[in-house]
Amino acid sequence: MFDNYSRGAQAMSESPFVVVEGLHFSRGDKDIFRGVALQIPRGKITAIMGPSGTGKTTLLKLIGGQLTPDAGRVLIDGEDVHRLSRKALFAVRRRMGMLFQSGALFSDLNVFENVAFPLRVHTDLPDAMIRDLVLMKLEAVGLRGARELMSSELSGGMARRVALARAIALDPELILYDEPFVGQDPISKGVLVQLIKRLNDALGLTAVVVSHDIGETLSIADYVYVIADGQVMAHGTPKTLDVDQDPRVNQFVHGEPDGPVPFHYPAEDYFSDILREGGVR
Amino acid sequence: MIHHVTALGRRGCNLLEAMGRAGIFLAQSAVGVPSKEGWTLWLRQMHFVGVLSLAIVLVSGLFIGMVLALQGYTILVDFGAEQALGQMVALSLLRELAPVVAALLFAGRAGSALTAEIGLMKATEQLTSMEMIGVDPLRRVVAPRLWAGFVALPVLTIGFSVVGIYGGYLVGVEWLGVFEGSYWSNMQASVEFVNDIGNGMLKSLVFAVVVTWIAVFQGYDLIPTSEGISRATTRTVVYSSLAVLGLDFVLTAIMFGGLS
Amino acid sequence: MKRSKTMELGVGLFMLVGILGLVFLGLRVSGLTLQPPSDTFRLQANFGNIGGLSPRARVTMAGVTVGRVSEIELDTEWYDARVVLELDGELEGKLSRDTTAAILTSGLLGEQYIGLSVGGDPETLQAGDTIRDTQSAVVLEELIQQFVSNMVNE
């Protein structure tokens, strides 16, 4: 185990890697974010949590510069993502890896070529070197033996691990995980949790995990932001959140079906709805 | 009443906006210096949209040439002008049928597949992840497909014409007994290389740009759900067929209708 | 990315089919010749009426194609049609000065072409010369008119 205290102290002394300030974003008439502000510290695992439909994936897309906010800004290592030219933006993106919910492997390439893809397009390394690097990354996710398979032949968990190998192929400084645990069986979940933790420890990556799987996420996160209703509802270390007194946070962290976040979609009174005359709709 | 006018206006605005997006899309993806890598990607797409469409285009061309000869013969023989069969078959193929029918077949065979393929890549976030890796999907995914379409359709059209003329020869000369010499010499006397073959190829090139553009744009712009993909595929075939037939009239009027 | 040899071969063949097809269309269908243009020479002929003669129509001698019509324009001096013929180079200096040119029709509704027939003059036509003795196209309406007026006169 690493010496967590010294490492933590060192990381905190540096400026945060990602800063989000006063972020507003709406899609159509619906406000998704109303003034979200957060800081992602260097070399740590930061979790962004919240109920489904609160725009967690949208937040990642805003950080990655794929969407433009209505107001506010996103700084990555001091650079405002949304003010960069297309070329500079792509240069910043080379320093990030992103793990998509679906894996998003290229369906016309096999596992090896998928992982080799970022290396081939961004470096001029000779083939032998690329091969070594790819095998190294595949070994890290335990799929060195599956290198010849096509992406359609992989199970969901394997596809996500290959995608992880691809995301770390260029040794990024920041890695964004979009719902890494969704739809995985307990074994794959455990594998992924371990992988994320190990990558972070071994490579010193800054990681952002977007998820609503509370148990898995809280077990590896150093810091947690809870987002609901377009705002940051609470933030803190997993320990402080666990005992947070806010009823909404409490409901989410402990997974209670009804509470301040209602079980029912907004509707008129059940009784009067049923007894409405005519009985149509 | 006002309501309908408003609705019409809104549809007009939406249409204009979509066309603007499509134009920017074409400009961004088709322009640019291809790399060595791009050459390989183009080759792969040529195989997909060109080589694999060759069979259906050639077989259709053969049958259309044969039907033309059969129909043309029964009409021409009434005027005792069956020697003009070669000229009739060749001119109708080169000026009209080869560019149009090849483009329609291309829209159905290759265009719909392009839409579905790009649409699926979008739905499975492959395009997004490519962007996050720092590769522009317009250059990497769209451009090779566009250029493959631009080159493949004119080549297919040439194949269509050649096979069609040969089909006309089979029916007219070998079966119906038109004199072989007059089949070819009448054809040679009336077909002009620049005016007929050149204009036919120009038509085909225009259709190639339009069909491939529609197909690829529909794939790129669709709503990434299974329903969205199926709708976009249908739209590709419908829009490109209409565009080909409409443009064909305009081009024919300019090229052969004495409007120029 | 690996290139597949069969794919390259397929695309290569595909392009080859296109090029060969275009060559076929050029040579066999539109009758282009591969001979360089220097191998021909030009003569002019004025006709009172060319009927439906069009550029690229055949020029024949004794039924053998020896050249093509390259240009047709109105001669504003005489208000008749000046036709420029492009003939095989080997005929240069071999056609007698009193060679006649006639616009003929192949079959009843076939294309129109020019038929040359040689006279007996020892002097020969050189490139750029004009054929004096010409016979205009037969126009169906004129033929009928003549026929009708002959009937009336009788």
Side-chain angles (χ1 to χ4, degrees):
Chain A
M1 216 29 212
F2 271 85
D3 184 356
N4 257 333
Y5 279 107
S6 64
R7 202 170 149 253
Q10 188 198 355
M12 287 312 269
S13 65
E14 293 175 37
S15 60
F17 194 70
V18 180
V19 180
V20 176
E21 288 171 351
L23 199 67
H24 285 260
F25 184 78
S26 58
R27 189 169 272 158
D29 300 332
K30 197 175 163 231
D31 282 340
I32 297 187
F33 296 122
R34 293 172 304 177
V36 168
L38 36 86
Q39 300 192 337
I40 314 278
R42 256 172 233 272
K44 297 262 190 169
I45 298 176
T46 306
I48 297 174
M49 312 193 66
S52 333
T54 45
K56 301 186 297 292
T57 305
T58 310
L59 183 62
L60 286 190
K61 287 190 172 170
L62 284 162
I63 293 176
Q66 289 172 325
L67 297 173
T68 312
D70 301 333
R73 52 184 196 156
V74 175
L75 301 176
I76 293 184
D77 210 10
E79 290 187 275
D80 187 340
V81 173
H82 301 103
R83 293 184 177 230
L84 295 173
S85 68
R86 200 172 166 82
K87 205 175 160 194
L89 175 64
F90 276 47
V92 169
R93 282 187 186 157
R94 263 168 237 179
R95 298 165 61 195
M96 312 183 204
M98 181 156 174
L99 184 71
F100 285 84
Q101 202 166 341
S102 60
L105 296 178
F106 303 132
S107 45
D108 53 341
L109 303 177
N110 66 14
V111 166
F112 182 92
E113 289 297 330
N114 258 292
V115 180
F117 181 85
L119 296 167
R120 289 201 201 282
V121 293
H122 288 314
T123 67
D124 292 324
L125 297 176
D127 271 0
M129 180 98 81
I130 287 184
R131 185 173 178 275
D132 292 350
L133 282 171
V134 171
L135 293 187
M136 210 167 87
K137 305 296 177 189
L138 281 174
E139 175 72 19
V141 297
L143 288 175
R144 192 164 44 84
R147 71 186 104 151
E148 293 300 329
L149 296 181
M150 294 304 286
S151 60
S152 56
E153 297 169 294
L154 301 173
S155 71
M158 282 159 80
R160 220 164 283 187
R161 276 149 73 189
V162 174
L164 184 54
R166 186 180 67 185
I168 57 170
L170 282 173
D171 293 321
E173 296 160 61
L174 170 69
I175 183 157
L176 310 171
Y177 299 93
D178 185 7
E179 301 282 10
F181 311 119
V182 154
Q184 301 290 314
D185 61 62
I187 302 175
S188 328
K189 257 189 209 178
V191 169
L192 282 163
V193 166
Q194 244 205 348
L195 272 175
I196 293 172
K197 183 75 187 153
R198 226 171 47 200
L199 284 172
N200 191 64
D201 288 344
L203 304 173
L205 292 176
T206 306
V208 179
V209 182
V210 153
S211 177
H212 51 232
D213 288 86
I214 299 156
E216 285 79 11
T217 313
L218 291 188
S219 70
I220 50 170
D222 295 308
Y223 205 79
V224 182
Y225 284 90
V226 179
I227 293 184
D229 299 330
Q231 280 165 325
V232 174
M233 201 163 59
H235 58 97
T237 60
K239 270 195 186 132
T240 56
L241 274 191
D242 202 33
V243 294
D244 198 295
Q245 290 309 304
D246 187 310
R248 291 178 303 174
V249 178
N250 222 322
Q251 184 200 354
F252 181 75
V253 173
H254 297 110
E256 286 151 9
D258 208 353
V261 178
F263 168 71
H264 291 289
Y265 193 83
E268 65 178 298
D269 182 59
Y270 185 43
F271 196 62
S272 59
D273 204 3
I274 291 241
L275 291 182
R276 181 128 45 117
E277 272 191 54
V280 184
R281 295 254 169 116
Chain B
M1 186 61 202
I2 294 284
H3 178 73
H4 288 292
V5 175
T6 318
L8 191 69
R10 191 166 53 234
R11 298 201 88 181
C13 289
N14 286 346
L15 185 72
L16 274 181
E17 192 200 327
M19 289 181 80
R21 268 208 316 275
I24 293 169
F25 168 82
L26 181 68
Q28 277 184 345
S29 40
V31 181
V33 190
S35 56
K36 187 163 169 277
E37 172 96 274
W39 177 252
T40 313
L41 291 168
W42 176 82
L43 207 69
R44 177 188 288 240
Q45 292 309 319
M46 274 301 285
H47 177 77
F48 181 66
V49 299
V51 178
L52 297 183
S53 309
L54 195 60
I56 182 180
V57 167
L58 292 189
V59 170
S60 314
L62 187 70
F63 279 115
I64 290 210
M66 283 161 63
V67 166
L68 266 181
L70 202 53
Q71 290 279 14
Y73 182 82
T74 55
I75 295 169
L76 289 174
V77 81
D78 287 346
F79 303 104
E82 66 267 24
Q83 304 96 321
L85 188 66
Q87 132 185 19
M88 199 212 79
V89 169
L91 285 182
S92 18
L93 276 171
L94 290 171
R95 289 181 177 180
E96 278 306 319
L97 286 171
V100 171
V101 178
L104 293 180
L105 290 171
F106 185 79
R109 166 67 181 76
S112 58
L114 282 180
T115 306
E117 192 192 12
I118 294 182
L120 201 65
M121 288 175 92
K122 183 174 183 181
T124 53
E125 294 181 305
Q126 290 183 46
L127 298 181
T128 325
S129 78
M130 200 171 274
E131 260 182 37
M132 285 304 296
I133 291 172
V135 174
D136 188 347
L138 289 182
R139 302 290 300 280
R140 169 101 195 171
V141 173
V142 173
R145 285 169 173 77
L146 275 178
W147 283 104
F150 294 172
V151 177
L153 182 51
V155 173
L156 291 170
T157 303
I158 293 174
F160 190 102
S161 306
V162 171
V163 170
I165 287 169
Y166 182 70
Y169 167 84
L170 281 184
V171 168
V173 176
E174 301 281 333
W175 182 25
L176 298 173
V178 173
F179 179 54
E180 180 173 357
S182 51
Y183 184 82
W184 293 115
S185 69
N186 262 312
M187 193 185 289
Q188 290 176 3
S190 56
V191 175
E192 287 182 48
F193 190 76
V194 176
N195 275 342
D196 297 322
I197 299 178
N199 275 339
M201 295 319 297
L202 195 63
K203 266 188 183 180
S204 163
L205 192 64
V206 173
F207 296 160
V209 171
V210 170
V211 171
T212 323
W213 180 19
I214 290 178
V216 171
F217 179 71
Q218 288 295 343
Y220 197 79
D221 203 47
L222 54 69
I223 302 158
T225 59
S226 44
E227 197 200 358
I229 293 177
S230 85
R231 276 170 183 241
T233 314
T234 313
R235 272 205 302 271
T236 293
V237 176
V238 172
Y239 289 179
S240 37
S241 306
L242 288 179
V244 164
L245 294 171
L247 270 175
D248 181 53
F249 178 74
V250 175
L251 289 175
T252 306
I254 293 172
M255 289 169 174
F256 305 108
L259 271 186
S260 55
Chain C
M1 191 181 305
K2 276 180 289 182
R3 286 195 194 186
S4 144
K5 283 285 166 215
T6 49
M7 194 181 76
E8 284 185 347
L9 185 71
V11 176
L13 284 177
F14 179 74
M15 298 305 288
L16 198 66
V17 164
I19 293 165
L20 288 181
L22 200 60
V23 169
F24 172 84
L25 289 182
L27 296 184
R28 191 74 215 240
V29 174
S30 78
L32 288 185
T33 44
L34 284 179
Q35 284 165 346
S38 60
D39 242 336
T40 61
F41 74 107
R42 293 175 153 221
L43 290 178
Q44 294 185 1
N46 282 34
F47 293 91
N49 190 337
I50 55 165
L53 190 75
S54 60
R56 294 185 39 73
R58 283 185 298 146
V59 178
T60 66
M61 266 182 103
V64 181
T65 304
V66 294
R68 294 193 174 274
V69 172
S70 69
E71 286 169 36
I72 297 174
E73 58 190 8
L74 187 66
D75 185 339
T76 45
E77 202 177 328
W78 300 98
Y79 290 99
D80 57 3
R82 186 196 298 135
V83 176
V84 180
L85 313 175
E86 212 163 279
L87 301 177
D88 282 353
E90 58 182 51
L91 287 177
E92 187 168 8
K94 288 186 182 158
L95 299 174
S96 63
R97 201 161 258 292
D98 57 351
T99 295
T100 59
I103 298 180
L104 305 170
T105 309
S106 64
L108 187 59
L109 290 169
E111 20 120 25
Q112 290 191 304
Y113 64 99
I114 290 181
L116 298 179
S117 36
V118 196
D121 197 320
E123 279 188 67
T124 57
L125 291 165
Q126 300 301 320
D129 284 354
T130 303
I131 298 176
R132 298 281 164 211
D133 191 359
T134 62
Q135 186 187 326
S136 290
V138 178
V139 178
L140 207 58
E141 289 88 338
E142 286 176 6
L143 210 64
I144 294 170
Q145 220 164 29
Q146 266 176 20
F147 179 69
V148 171
S149 58
N150 284 350
M151 294 274 282
V152 170
N153 288 347
E154 276 172 21

